[in-house]
């Protein structure tokens, strides 16, 4: 079974056993997170349900693996003929979760 969930302004297509990185929040490793904003349920030859905007009674349960950091992004600013240059790096923090169960 697969689902499309909405979390923090992003939509993710998930299936049981998948691992994904979501927006950072203060949770401990091993904790459980429930996603109630399920937009789509389907797959495995079963009934397909599309929400308007969400599917009633559907829930996706995930277990927190731990915090991770994204790829490093470099921002460079350069002003010609001024001798002005700057370079800044940034790494976005994420929470890695593993999908345990899709209910609905």
């Amino acid at each position: 079974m697969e689902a499309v969930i909405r979390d923090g302004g992003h939509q993710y297509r998930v299936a049981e056993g998948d691992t994904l990185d979501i927006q950072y929040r203060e949770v401990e490793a091993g904790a459980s997170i429930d996603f109630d904003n399920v937009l789509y349920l389907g797959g495995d030859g079963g009934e397909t349900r599309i929400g308007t905007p969400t599917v009633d009674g559907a829930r996706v349960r995930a277990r927190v693996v731990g915090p991770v950091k994204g790829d490093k992004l470099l921002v460079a600013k350069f002003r010609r003929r001024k001798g002005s240059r700057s370079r800044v790096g940034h790494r976005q923090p994420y929470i890695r979760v593993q999908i345990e169960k899709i209910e609905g």
Side-chain angles (χ1 to χ4, degrees):
M1 177 168 271
E2 65 183 12
V4 175
I5 59 172
R6 180 173 54 210
D7 181 59
H10 300 277
Q11 294 180 5
Y12 303 98
R13 181 178 173 202
V14 297
E16 291 182 8
D18 284 354
T19 302
L20 70 139
D21 298 338
I22 60 173
Q23 264 187 329
Y24 185 81
R25 61 188 74 170
E26 291 289 332
V27 292
E28 295 182 12
S32 181
I33 296 179
D34 288 339
F35 298 104
D36 296 330
N37 288 330
V38 179
L39 307 175
Y40 166 83
L41 280 176
D44 293 339
E47 179 185 356
T48 299
R49 294 169 52 193
I50 299 174
T52 55
T54 60
V55 178
D56 294 330
R59 184 172 66 179
V60 175
R61 179 163 297 193
R63 182 179 50 84
V64 176
V65 176
V68 295
K69 287 187 178 181
D71 295 335
K72 177 167 268 198
L73 301 176
L74 293 176
V75 178
K77 294 183 181 179
F78 174 79
R79 293 173 188 89
R80 62 184 186 160
R81 297 188 300 270
K82 307 292 185 209
S84 172
R85 296 180 184 181
S86 66
R87 188 170 132 172
V88 178
H90 174 74
R91 290 186 73 183
Q92 184 74 24
Y94 295 104
I95 292 291
R96 181 160 290 160
V97 298
Q98 183 169 13
I99 305 299
E100 291 182 337
K101 190 169 185 180
I102 298 174
E103 301 171 355

